Amino acid sequence: MTSLVLGFAEMDDAQLSLVGGKALNLARLSRVEGILVPDGFCLTTNVYRQVVASSGTYQDLLEQLKILSAEDRKQIAEISGEIRRHIQAVKMPEDIASAVTQYISVLGEQHAYAVRSSATAEDLPHASFAGQQDTYLNISGTKSILEHISKCWASLFTDRAVIYRIQNGFDHTQVLLSVIVQRMVTPLASGIMFTADPVTGSRKVVSIDAGFGLGEAMVSGLVSPDSYKVQDGVIINKQIAAKQLAMYGCQEGGIRTHGLDPEQQTTPALSELQIIELASLGRQIEAYFGCPQDIEWCLADGVFYIVQSRPITTLFPAPEAGDQVNRVYLSVGHQQMMTDAMKPLGLSFYLLTTPAPMRTAGGRLFVDVTPLLASPDTGAAVISALGKSDPLIKNALMSLVERGDFIQPTQENPKVPYSLKNNENADPGVFNARIEFDPAIVPALIKRNQASVEELKLRIRTQTGPALFDFIIEDMQELKKLLFDPQSSAVIMTAMDASSWINDRMNEWLGDKNAADVLSQSVADNITSEMGLALLEVADVIRPYPEVIRYLQHVTQDDFLDELMHMQGGQEAGDAIRSYLEQYGMRCSGEIDLTRTRWSENPQILVPMILNNIKHFNRGASRQKFEQGRQEALNKERELLGRLEQLPDGVQKAAETKRVIRLLRGFIGYREYPKYGMISRYYIYKQALLREAGLLVEAGFIEHPEDIYYLAFEELREAVCTRRLDYGIIEKRREDYRLYEKLTPPRVITSDGERINGDYGRDDLPADSLVGLPVSSGVIEGRARVIINMEQADLEEGDILVTLFTDPSWTPLFVSIKGLVTEVGGLMTHGAVIAREYGLPAVVGVDQATKRIKDGQMIRVHGTEGYIELL
């Protein structure tokens, strides 16, 4: 019977698949000195297999369940109900019933017991499965315990548990259930403890919720608990709730809700000494498991008992610097408009590209700004510079600095990155350009970048094996020269400074808000906006050929370009698409992650956008749109200069403004080009590495070429050089990536894991409006289309795009929309720049926009003031 029923003392770490995460954690804790766990035993998954999973009826029903999606709620409810009824009807084998009876007699037949599920995919680091299976409390008598064991098995197939597994990618056939039978204690108080603050994420704060009686009253939401916060052994916050109800065990079995006397309702459930003792136990348990824990506890006869401990799966990992210094990190993803998780190979390439002090956490990149904030000479300037792009970051950093308890001041003067240096103007009426305008500068920078990429394409073809990795490292020095070329940086920063100067001066002198938005429309040399207009031209080529259009409407394969050759207009259509891919095929959503699928690798992604352009635009729309924007910008310039000339010193102000507008329009388009050059190189590197991966597959070192995405660059180099690789690393990284995909990265996070949130501090807006950052002027009403993945976009003319973020790959959609709302973004991030160029009212940085705005809802976007109204 040893593999069927196990006492806590008999379990070991190798038996996770037998007893599940909950039971194994309790068994491990029961052996830790100073931790009390009510004694118990476990019916292992072997019992579940023997009693339930061997049934033919069960297997048939499971096969029906496997083909359903989370949206098939009705079918899930019907099949799950059948499975539950089948499980509860199965007779408990005599040997199992006998073993349960024997354990109960040893532990004490006079006691009541808790009967609790412990699934094999439960209390894991990447999925807690909290509350997905049922727990039965205060169960007395062997017969009743056996009945509730069957109920626990059946609860593996409640509707909520089935849907949770589908949503988290768990195979129903692979999730088995063990059942814990554990002695009940009769608690005076009970509750939940998090060894990291679940709200802020701070690993230094223990958060305790407590109420009288059993914890079920809190879990079920019947009562608000007391809340205590403890840091370094000191209670830093205590909130006592009015606890009107409590649950207690009944003498005849089961539990009952009781009303509390008014005096007891506001009595703290725990004394201060008990709070500190409990927090200390939490730290001990956290240290034992090696990660922050979600712990269920109860207090009986003055003693704390632990009845469950599992990892907290919702915390964003704290970046690690390897020292004990308090550090502050900014999210790179919020600056690059790509907050999705990145795979290890993509992370390592970005780290090789940037000179900034970077750390990775949760599959994301963060830059360490601690030295800049700690220096009195740079702190205020850096916060100010960051705030121009993203006020939420500025507000978060200011709140952290003002707290005075985290950042340690230093007298060192770190070097401020060029992009964060403020451009000081002694005379606000005169613009201090970092580089004066010359029409030859930008074309020369672009030509140099293009020539370098073409040379790379030729030279990398002959590289293979270890030599390929040496070649890539060498070539990345050229990439860095291009990215961080002083002249290139000066051009970009001058354009950004010019935009700020125009907005500030025109508002001050004329009361004209965000004037630079209109002036930035249809500028030269913007590779990203040209990409959107070029896809309109592809649509023009295909438009005359109905057979091609009908074929594209039903494309499902990536090799559709080959099939085009067999129909009228197919040659022209194929050539147009291939030409487009030649120039822009290295782009994709989330393109800073080298491992993402590029358009050239999956050209089918472009088909819906091409068809959308054919449907909603007439021939020549590309030129018309560009010319319309150019005329609006010229008209705006004439209007501003005319009004300025009427002011005191107006001629001088108009002349200076004209100079700054020339700098803006001559340089702002180039801002998108360095990233285009970087992504072009990344794609060439990727193609070469995938060829190398093919050789690793042939040699049997990896199963699929894409497995290399879960190795860092140096790890991949070592695998190629040594012909040795632990495939378990790839499997572990793939599992980690699935967890990271579900996490939302913070804009600002500390080395304690604390998320520092900023706010806009606006109280001048209409009630119920959604506040954000105004990045492109104008007011527009329309239908909101909430789109998370670009590939699923189905836009009509006049729609307003609402999404998490947009990077350059989204630009082809911008020709179809009339406005933009994103959750992530700043004044100079991609979506803002292109929205201004296309003349689209836009508000970015709107918290939870994709959840608070419903798809199809009518909204009004105030791009000048920075808020959205739900109509």
Side-chain angles (χ1 to χ4, degrees):
M1 296 298 294
T2 54
S3 65
L4 295 176
V5 185
L6 295 170
F8 286 171
E10 301 166 286
M11 298 179 197
D12 61 50
D13 291 356
Q15 293 173 318
L16 174 64
S17 63
L18 280 178
V19 300
K22 187 182 297 180
L24 183 58
N25 285 355
L26 286 172
R28 294 174 68 188
L29 282 176
S30 69
R31 296 192 282 273
V32 177
E33 186 176 351
I35 306 293
L36 295 179
V37 175
D39 205 356
F41 61 93
C42 176
L43 282 76
T44 70
T45 55
N46 283 342
V47 180
Y48 181 83
R49 281 194 180 95
Q50 180 180 316
V51 177
V52 176
S54 58
S55 158
T57 303
Y58 170 85
Q59 296 296 339
D60 290 344
L61 290 168
L62 219 54
E63 289 302 315
Q64 295 177 43
L65 203 59
K66 279 173 67 175
I67 62 174
L68 300 180
S69 67
E71 288 71 37
D72 301 322
R73 300 297 174 97
K74 185 177 180 182
Q75 296 98 310
I76 287 172
E78 291 172 356
I79 298 170
S80 298
E82 281 192 58
I83 294 175
R84 292 195 300 274
R85 287 188 289 275
H86 171 73
I87 290 173
Q88 288 188 248
V90 174
K91 190 175 185 301
M92 187 75 70
E94 288 298 328
D95 57 341
I96 302 299
S98 175
V100 171
T101 302
Q102 185 177 344
Y103 271 97
I104 294 295
S105 67
V106 172
L107 294 175
E109 294 179 18
Q110 74 277 18
H111 296 301
Y113 290 83
V115 182
R116 316 169 72 195
S117 63
S118 180
T120 53
E122 189 173 54
D123 294 352
L124 302 176
H126 58 285
S128 72
F129 280 73
Q132 296 308 314
Q133 280 76 238
D134 290 341
T135 290
Y136 301 95
L137 301 178
N138 205 44
I139 308 301
S140 300
T142 303
K143 180 182 178 185
S144 183
I145 288 170
L146 289 169
E147 288 174 359
H148 284 86
I149 289 169
S150 291
K151 288 182 178 181
C152 261
W153 285 334
S155 75
L156 192 59
F157 291 93
T158 59
D159 296 1
R160 67 176 184 271
V162 169
I163 291 169
Y164 184 92
R165 288 198 294 274
I166 292 172
Q167 291 172 334
N168 286 275
F170 285 90
D171 185 340
H172 303 300
T173 62
Q174 300 302 310
V175 180
L176 303 172
L177 197 72
S178 68
V179 178
I180 303 165
V181 180
Q182 189 176 20
R183 263 186 58 176
M184 285 280 296
V185 295
T186 305
L188 170 68
S190 55
I192 299 166
M193 169 168 53
F194 295 95
T195 63
D197 191 320
V199 177
T200 68
S202 175
R203 272 52 164 191
K204 286 190 174 178
V205 175
V206 175
S207 176
I208 299 170
D209 284 352
F212 291 114
L214 295 166
E216 290 302 296
M218 277 184 290
V219 173
S220 59
L222 287 176
V223 64
S224 297
D226 292 347
S227 176
Y228 318 120
K229 309 276 188 187
V230 181
Q231 182 172 335
D232 299 325
V234 177
I235 300 170
I236 59 171
N237 187 271
K238 185 164 60 170
Q239 296 180 356
I240 308 304
K243 302 171 288 296
Q244 297 178 341
L245 302 171
M247 284 184 173
Y248 296 99
C250 305
Q251 192 167 4
E252 67 275 14
I255 56 177
R256 183 175 297 168
T257 302
H258 293 267
L260 296 177
D261 295 335
E263 186 178 334
Q264 190 182 7
Q265 289 177 13
T266 54
T267 300
L270 297 177
S271 70
E272 292 197 351
L273 285 176
Q274 287 170 334
I275 294 167
I276 292 169
E277 179 189 352
L278 182 58
S280 178
L281 285 174
R283 286 285 179 238
Q284 186 181 353
I285 293 168
E286 177 186 65
Y288 177 76
F289 284 117
C291 64
Q293 295 289 299
D294 167 359
I295 299 164
E296 293 182 20
W297 57 270
C298 55
L299 176 68
D301 301 321
V303 177
F304 284 108
Y305 291 88
I306 304 302
V307 294
Q308 184 164 299
S309 187
R310 59 187 172 219
I312 305 176
T313 60
T314 55
L315 290 176
F316 196 88
E320 294 182 8
D323 57 31
Q324 299 304 309
V325 177
N326 287 349
R327 296 191 177 275
V328 184
Y329 300 96
L330 301 188
S331 164
V332 173
H334 284 79
Q335 301 297 308
Q336 289 293 332
M337 298 297 279
M338 210 296 271
T339 55
D340 290 348
M342 296 170 66
K343 296 187 177 76
L345 189 63
L347 289 169
S348 64
F349 262 93
Y350 201 95
L351 289 170
L352 287 169
T353 305
T354 178
M358 292 276 184
R359 292 286 181 268
T360 63
R364 275 79 168 187
L365 291 154
F366 293 86
V367 61
D368 184 355
V369 294
T370 315
L372 296 172
L373 294 175
S375 168
D377 293 330
T378 61
V382 166
I383 291 175
S384 174
L386 288 166
K388 289 179 180 177
S389 175
D390 190 333
L392 292 178
I393 287 180
K394 177 181 179 180
N395 184 276
L397 292 177
M398 285 180 62
S399 69
L400 186 62
V401 170
E402 289 166 1
R403 268 171 38 183
D405 63 351
F406 191 81
I407 299 173
Q408 305 301 317
T410 177
Q411 295 306 310
E412 295 179 12
N413 292 315
K415 184 179 179 182
V416 179
Y418 189 80
S419 61
L420 293 181
K421 287 181 179 177
N422 280 312
N423 187 25
E424 301 297 337
N425 286 282
D427 179 355
V430 178
F431 179 67
N432 180 26
R434 305 186 195 220
I435 185 171
E436 287 300 335
F437 181 72
D438 179 343
I441 292 176
V442 169
L445 288 169
I446 290 174
K447 186 176 180 181
R448 178 189 162 195
N449 207 316
Q450 288 174 335
S452 179
V453 169
E454 290 305 315
E455 182 183 358
L456 169 61
K457 287 179 183 177
L458 290 173
R459 293 181 61 210
I460 203 169
R461 290 175 185 169
T462 59
Q463 306 296 325
T464 187
L468 171 62
F469 293 85
D470 295 337
F471 175 84
I472 289 174
I473 289 293
E474 180 186 340
D475 186 76
M476 290 196 80
Q477 303 314 306
E478 173 68 9
L479 169 57
K480 290 180 184 179
K481 286 179 187 176
L482 292 166
L483 278 177
F484 307 114
D485 176 275
Q487 188 183 48
S488 175
S489 299
V491 166
I492 293 169
M493 295 307 298
T494 296
M496 293 170 66
D497 293 342
S499 178
S500 296
W501 187 92
I502 290 169
N503 283 336
D504 291 345
R505 298 290 82 77
M506 296 308 101
N507 191 26
E508 178 187 345
W509 293 339
L510 300 174
D512 196 312
K513 279 191 172 184
N514 302 337
D517 294 357
V518 179
L519 296 169
S520 299
Q521 291 185 94
S522 298
V523 296
D525 302 314
N526 188 322
I527 188 71
T528 304
S529 63
E530 289 169 3
M531 178 175 73
L533 298 175
L535 203 62
L536 283 171
E537 293 172 2
V538 173
D540 284 349
V541 173
I542 297 172
R543 195 184 310 276
Y545 304 110
E547 187 181 357
V548 172
I549 295 171
R550 284 194 298 272
Y551 170 72
L552 292 177
Q553 287 168 342
H554 301 95
V555 161
T556 57
Q557 301 297 324
D558 289 340
D559 60 358
F560 70 93
L561 288 172
D562 297 332
E563 296 298 319
L564 281 174
M565 310 309 292
H566 307 302
M567 56 194 72
Q568 185 182 4
Q571 179 74 50
E572 292 84 347
D575 289 347
I577 294 173
R578 286 189 181 91
S579 176
Y580 185 86
L581 291 172
E582 181 65 27
Q583 187 162 11
Y584 305 111
M586 76 295 291
R587 312 218 82 154
C588 67
S589 180
E591 63 188 8
I592 65 170
D593 181 354
L594 175 140
T595 70
R596 288 291 191 104
T597 302
R598 310 283 143 174
W599 290 345
S600 285
E601 296 170 314
N602 183 17
Q604 183 187 330
I605 293 171
L606 296 175
V607 171
M609 291 185 276
I610 294 170
L611 292 172
N612 198 59
N613 288 345
I614 293 171
K615 179 180 178 182
H616 295 298
F617 297 100
N618 295 320
R619 176 178 292 279
S622 172
R623 290 186 299 277
Q624 291 167 9
K625 276 185 167 289
F626 186 85
E627 184 56 28
Q628 180 184 344
R630 195 178 73 85
Q631 284 300 326
E632 288 179 7
L634 291 174
N635 291 341
K636 184 68 174 179
E637 179 178 359
R638 278 194 292 268
E639 177 217 327
L640 292 172
L641 297 180
R643 291 170 63 194
L644 286 170
E645 287 171 354
Q646 306 304 311
L647 301 176
D649 300 324
V651 173
Q652 182 180 337
K653 287 175 178 174
E656 186 64 6
T657 301
K658 185 176 180 66
R659 168 180 165 256
V660 182
I661 290 173
R662 189 183 191 198
L663 285 163
L664 173 70
R665 289 192 58 79
F667 285 164
I668 195 68
Y670 175 71
R671 187 186 179 280
E672 294 284 305
Y673 201 90
K675 185 177 181 182
Y676 171 77
M678 181 181 88
I679 299 305
S680 297
R681 277 187 134 75
Y682 273 16
Y683 183 46
I684 296 168
Y685 300 153
K686 179 185 182 182
Q687 289 174 301
L689 291 174
L690 282 175
R691 288 194 294 271
E692 210 62 38
L695 299 176
L696 291 176
V697 172
E698 289 176 14
F701 290 104
I702 58 176
E703 295 177 7
H704 309 284
E706 293 79 10
D707 287 344
I708 67 169
Y709 297 162
Y710 297 96
L711 298 173
F713 180 82
E714 289 300 330
E715 292 172 331
L716 179 55
R717 184 215 287 255
E718 185 177 351
V720 169
C721 291
T722 63
R723 314 302 283 179
R724 288 197 304 271
L725 176 64
D726 178 3
Y727 198 76
I729 292 173
I730 290 172
E731 293 175 329
K732 172 67 166 60
R733 300 263 178 85
R734 188 179 281 115
E735 188 176 287
D736 289 343
Y737 179 73
R738 282 198 291 267
L739 163 63
Y740 297 154
E741 281 185 299
K742 300 171 189 174
L743 300 178
T744 301
R747 279 178 169 81
V748 181
I749 189 170
T750 73
S751 47
D752 292 339
E754 183 181 2
R755 304 170 70 111
I756 309 296
N757 297 316
D759 61 61
Y760 291 106
R762 302 274 303 275
D763 54 9
D764 57 339
L765 303 179
D768 301 323
S769 61
L770 311 184
V771 63
L773 177 66
V775 295
S776 187
S777 295
V779 179
I780 190 72
E781 288 184 13
R783 180 180 67 159
R785 293 312 315 269
V786 180
I787 296 169
I788 304 302
N789 298 313
M790 188 190 77
E791 294 82 356
Q792 299 169 350
D794 180 18
L795 294 164
E796 299 286 341
E797 180 79 3
D799 283 345
I800 297 170
L801 174 61
V802 180
T803 189
L804 298 171
F805 58 82
T806 63
D807 60 11
S809 71
W810 289 70
T811 303
L813 298 180
F814 280 41
V815 299
S816 300
I817 61 176
K818 292 297 184 186
L820 174 69
V821 178
T822 67
E823 293 186 7
V824 176
L827 192 62
M828 295 308 295
T829 47
H830 159 75
V833 173
I834 303 303
R836 289 194 290 271
E837 170 134 354
Y838 282 2
L840 307 174
V843 180
V844 303
V846 182
D847 187 46
Q848 302 285 307
T850 58
K851 296 181 177 65
R852 296 158 75 188
I853 299 173
K854 305 301 180 188
D855 186 49
Q857 186 173 19
M858 295 298 291
I859 64 173
R860 183 183 296 123
V861 176
H862 294 260
T864 308
E865 300 294 337
Y867 66 95
I868 295 98
E869 291 180 280
L870 309 179
L871 303 180

